[in-house]
Amino acid sequence: MVDSDGRTDGVHSRRKRGIEIGCHIVTLLVGTMYLLVFAMVLRTGYLSWIGILIGILLTAPTVISPILGLAGWRRLSTVLTWVGTGVPILAALVMQASLMRAHRDQGDWRPYRFDDELAAIEAKRAVPDAENAAHRYESLFADMDLTEEPNFISNGDIFRDEIKKRPWERADYPQVSAWLDSHSELTDELMAIGEMGKCRWPVQADRFDEYTVPCDKLRHCVLLLMAAGNQDLGEGRVTEALEKYLCAVRIGNHVHQQPSEVDLVAGLSYERGGLEMLRYVLVQSDLLDEQIGRIADCLPPAADLWAEEWARLREFEKLQYMNLLGRLYEVDTAGKVQFARALVMSPKDERERNWFPRAYWFLSMPRDPHRVRRIAERYFGQVDRDVGLGRLQSPGGERDDHASLNDLLKVVCNPHRWAIELWFFNASEYAEHRRRYIPCITVRRGTWLVLGLRRYRASHGVWPRVLDEVSPYVPPEAFSDPTTGGAFVYAPEGDNFRLYSKGLNHIDEDGRNGYVRALDRSEDDIPLWPPLPAREPEPYDEESDRKALEAIYGKDYVEMLMRSDPNDRH
């Protein structure tokens, strides 16, 4: 019996030990997987020190405990397992209890904002009111009614292009001329404001704040100036036309002084129209030396100032980034700060989103919102490394919206932060902004070259044979085309010439830009001279339209439509 019992006990012990070893091995494998995942989560940089500590308490026991168990330290292995299970739960309960205690404090709570950073930015930008063009714009725009714009301003037909891109006379468009006459005081005030060098609208510190720059009214003013300038030019008032074109360029500069990406792009677009007409005047008009000198004094710089622009944009974007992360906090009138009880994205949006318990934010956000500055610095430091000056100085940079494992881990840690980084502060967005900025530098440099060509012709009576001959008249950087990284294309043609950039595709398309229906392709040269012809309506191709309709609505419906009264085909 003893031997039998001994053998039975021995078999039972060995079986039990084998099960324990198997469990320890499985636990070790699971713990190793947890450890790898935790290491990848650490690489995202999303965890707070509390999140890292709790991650260690959850991960370490699943690795260390089975190792101790396999080594025969059963009791210590069991204790470590209980510690690893109980401490994170206890920590979560403590955090939630502290938040519940804070919740009892009633008061007037609002989303936390980084007003000190805003004040610092505004202090750097500050100019005296008397020198700030924005104040005069606001006074001018107080009673402006955009709804009274005639069609030549508000729609996009050929008529508008003829008005704003080519010289014309009163007899050509008498109604337009009368409308411009009725706005002569507005034009005069714009000309006076344009002489001011500095313009500062308040910074839009949060993505959901009211937009501060009156872009619609400024666009209206630029089109007004271009139309009035073209009438002046068509009727022989060259000096008056020049001043209106230069004013449009300066309005673009006023908008471009704002730190927002939208304003930077809008300012360059306003400037571009004025530069186009300045090139027209330089080539087509009889100008005095002082008029050519006036243009040279007022042209935007030919240098690529992207480094300064990126630094300004980065500071502004960092503030907006911080204020969006500030949605995870709330502050009362006494200055007390706590994690937000509900996430409200827009101050105008009263719908509260309670997707996660407040204790959840302890894992990925610092308790003190001032430490969000460090998060912003780290993130934009990474943006600098990913799309810094080296990459941003070259065309390209397509946005990648494909989710990766790293994105998944970020969503688990802090979906709010991941979302704003993906949609508002994606590095590829800045690369795209740089891509849009480069052709504007090309246009600036091309305008300088046209100025140099005009000065050469004034001195020698002919256009130069090669572009390098205008070097005494233009800045040296004007000869480099930033869009292609090479030289501009210049070709003298008798008493005229062609000047253009090959565009982003680096293919010489003879200065053409836009979709060519006959070739079924888009061409992207940037023409500097001669300008593109006014848009003409595409010829109607009934067969192509019929096939397109059949693809959408089906052949039977299109046949029925063709048999109907033409006046009813709407």
Side-chain angles (χ1 to χ4, degrees):
M1 291 295 293
V2 174
D3 292 339
S4 177
D5 289 343
R7 285 195 297 273
T8 301
D9 290 342
V11 171
H12 179 73
S13 297
R14 286 194 298 274
R15 184 179 300 166
K16 182 179 179 181
R17 179 60 178 166
I19 292 172
E20 289 178 352
I21 291 174
C23 290
H24 287 317
I25 291 174
V26 171
T27 303
L28 182 59
L29 292 174
V30 172
T32 303
M33 182 182 68
Y34 284 170
L35 186 61
L36 291 174
V37 172
F38 181 57
M40 289 188 290
V41 170
L42 284 177
R43 289 187 61 191
T44 66
Y46 268 39
L47 292 182
S48 66
W49 71 267
I50 295 177
I52 294 174
L53 178 60
I54 292 179
I56 292 173
L57 292 175
L58 286 171
T59 304
T62 58
V63 176
I64 299 174
S65 178
I67 293 176
L68 293 175
L70 291 171
W73 299 77
R74 297 182 181 179
R75 181 171 297 178
L76 185 58
S77 173
T78 302
V79 170
L80 189 60
T81 300
W82 280 105
V83 169
T85 304
V87 170
I89 295 175
L90 179 62
L93 292 175
V94 170
M95 288 186 293
Q96 189 62 33
S98 67
L99 292 174
M100 291 177 66
R101 184 171 61 254
H103 181 69
R104 298 192 197 101
D105 298 331
Q106 300 298 321
D108 184 14
W109 296 88
R110 59 176 177 82
Y112 187 87
R113 291 171 67 101
F114 291 86
D115 295 329
D116 291 343
E117 278 71 12
L118 173 60
I121 291 176
E122 292 288 32
K124 290 181 182 178
R125 303 175 68 244
V127 296
D129 289 350
E131 300 176 15
N132 189 357
H135 285 283
R136 291 192 59 177
Y137 280 123
E138 294 299 333
S139 298
L140 181 64
F141 295 162
D143 299 321
M144 181 179 286
D145 182 9
L146 295 181
T147 61
E148 53 85 37
E149 290 181 343
N151 289 338
F152 88 93
I153 290 290
S154 59
N155 68 20
D157 58 15
I158 301 172
F159 188 47
R160 170 175 155 180
D161 270 359
E162 288 293 335
I163 292 295
K164 78 169 189 173
K165 291 188 175 182
R166 298 293 180 269
W168 54 277
E169 300 181 29
R170 182 178 298 268
D172 298 327
Y173 307 111
Q175 290 181 330
V176 176
S177 182
W179 186 83
L180 291 175
D181 290 343
S182 69
H183 287 72
S184 59
E185 292 184 4
L186 172 61
T187 304
D188 292 341
E189 178 64 9
L190 287 172
M191 300 285 286
I193 297 174
E195 294 296 330
M196 302 177 70
K198 299 176 182 178
C199 185
R200 304 287 190 272
W201 276 281
V203 169
Q204 183 194 13
D206 189 281
R207 290 269 172 165
F208 296 97
D209 286 348
E210 290 290 340
Y211 196 60
T212 59
V213 179
C215 279
D216 287 342
K217 293 181 178 180
L218 288 166
R219 177 191 60 84
H220 171 100
C221 292
V222 169
L223 292 176
L224 173 69
L225 287 167
M226 297 303 296
N230 288 346
Q231 183 182 359
D232 286 337
L233 187 61
E235 296 175 352
R237 297 183 295 273
V238 178
T239 299
E240 291 82 351
L242 275 180
E243 292 304 322
K244 291 180 175 65
Y245 300 149
L246 292 173
C247 184
V249 172
R250 288 192 291 266
I251 289 176
N253 175 261
H254 284 166
V255 178
H256 195 258
Q257 291 178 34
Q258 313 315 308
S260 165
E261 182 181 356
V262 174
D263 299 324
L264 298 176
V265 173
L268 291 171
S269 70
Y270 300 156
E271 169 190 296
R272 195 163 183 167
L275 293 179
E276 180 178 351
M277 288 310 302
L278 287 174
R279 294 194 299 273
Y280 188 98
V281 173
L282 284 166
V283 177
Q284 298 288 79
S285 300
D286 293 327
L287 298 177
L288 302 175
D289 289 342
E290 53 266 28
Q291 291 174 322
I292 298 176
R294 171 70 170 162
I295 295 174
D297 291 340
C298 298
L299 282 184
D304 186 351
L305 303 178
W306 173 252
E308 293 87 343
E309 176 161 324
W310 169 241
R312 183 159 50 101
L313 177 61
R314 181 186 184 275
E315 184 178 33
F316 168 76
E317 293 287 298
K318 186 173 69 173
L319 172 61
Q320 289 204 336
Y321 176 88
M322 292 168 61
N323 276 330
L324 282 183
L325 280 186
R327 293 286 193 277
L328 300 180
Y329 304 88
E330 58 187 7
V331 60
D332 65 5
T333 52
K336 182 178 180 181
V337 179
Q338 63 184 22
F339 280 114
R341 286 163 286 187
L343 181 61
V344 181
M345 289 301 296
S346 170
K348 295 181 179 180
D349 184 3
E350 297 180 355
R351 294 172 297 170
E352 298 179 345
R353 293 151 172 98
N354 296 285
W355 296 322
F356 298 95
R358 297 169 68 200
Y360 173 80
W361 304 116
F362 272 108
L363 304 178
S364 59
M365 296 298 295
R367 182 66 184 88
D368 182 358
H370 290 92
R371 295 182 181 272
V372 170
R373 296 186 184 94
R374 299 181 184 179
I375 296 177
E377 288 293 347
R378 285 198 303 269
Y379 178 72
F380 280 94
Q382 183 63 44
V383 170
D384 282 334
R385 289 189 292 272
D386 289 347
V387 294
L389 296 181
R391 177 175 166 189
L392 283 173
Q393 284 178 343
S394 60
E398 296 182 356
R399 180 180 181 130
D400 182 10
D401 288 332
H402 294 91
S404 64
L405 176 59
N406 195 51
D407 289 319
L408 178 62
L409 295 174
K410 288 180 177 180
V411 171
V412 172
C413 294
N414 192 323
H416 176 70
R417 178 180 170 184
W418 171 82
I420 66 173
E421 288 177 358
L422 178 67
W423 294 110
F424 295 133
F425 308 99
N426 193 308
S428 60
E429 292 287 348
Y430 304 122
E432 176 62 20
H433 174 62
R434 172 58 175 166
R435 191 188 71 82
R436 292 192 298 265
Y437 181 78
I438 288 174
C440 297
I441 303 302
T442 293
V443 170
R444 286 182 178 181
R445 292 181 177 180
T447 305
W448 274 102
L449 291 175
V450 172
L451 176 73
L453 289 165
R454 175 56 193 260
R455 281 182 160 168
Y456 182 95
R457 181 181 172 89
S459 299
H460 299 82
V462 294
W463 300 113
R465 292 169 300 152
V466 294
L467 199 55
D468 288 343
E469 293 185 71
V470 306
S471 57
Y473 308 107
V474 299
E477 58 267 21
F479 291 93
S480 175
D481 176 11
T483 302
T484 63
F488 290 89
V489 178
Y490 170 72
E493 297 178 340
D495 198 36
N496 206 340
F497 66 90
R498 287 186 298 123
L499 179 67
Y500 58 91
S501 162
K502 295 179 184 178
L504 289 172
N505 64 12
H506 295 203
I507 299 173
D508 190 339
E509 293 157 332
D510 204 30
R512 295 185 299 272
N513 182 282
Y515 178 71
V516 181
R517 186 164 186 172
L519 301 176
D520 191 24
R521 74 181 185 195
S522 293
E523 298 178 323
D524 74 343
D525 284 359
I526 302 174
L528 298 161
W529 188 262
L532 287 174
R535 290 180 295 119
E536 297 181 359
E538 293 284 352
Y540 176 66
D541 187 341
E542 182 174 348
E543 184 61 27
S544 297
D545 288 350
R546 181 188 181 104
K547 290 180 179 179
L549 288 171
E550 287 179 355
I552 300 173
Y553 300 108
K555 187 173 182 179
D556 293 340
Y557 176 81
V558 174
E559 287 181 355
M560 180 188 68
L561 185 65
M562 293 300 177
R563 291 194 298 268
S564 65
D565 186 337
N567 293 325
D568 294 333
R569 298 176 188 173
H570 298 293

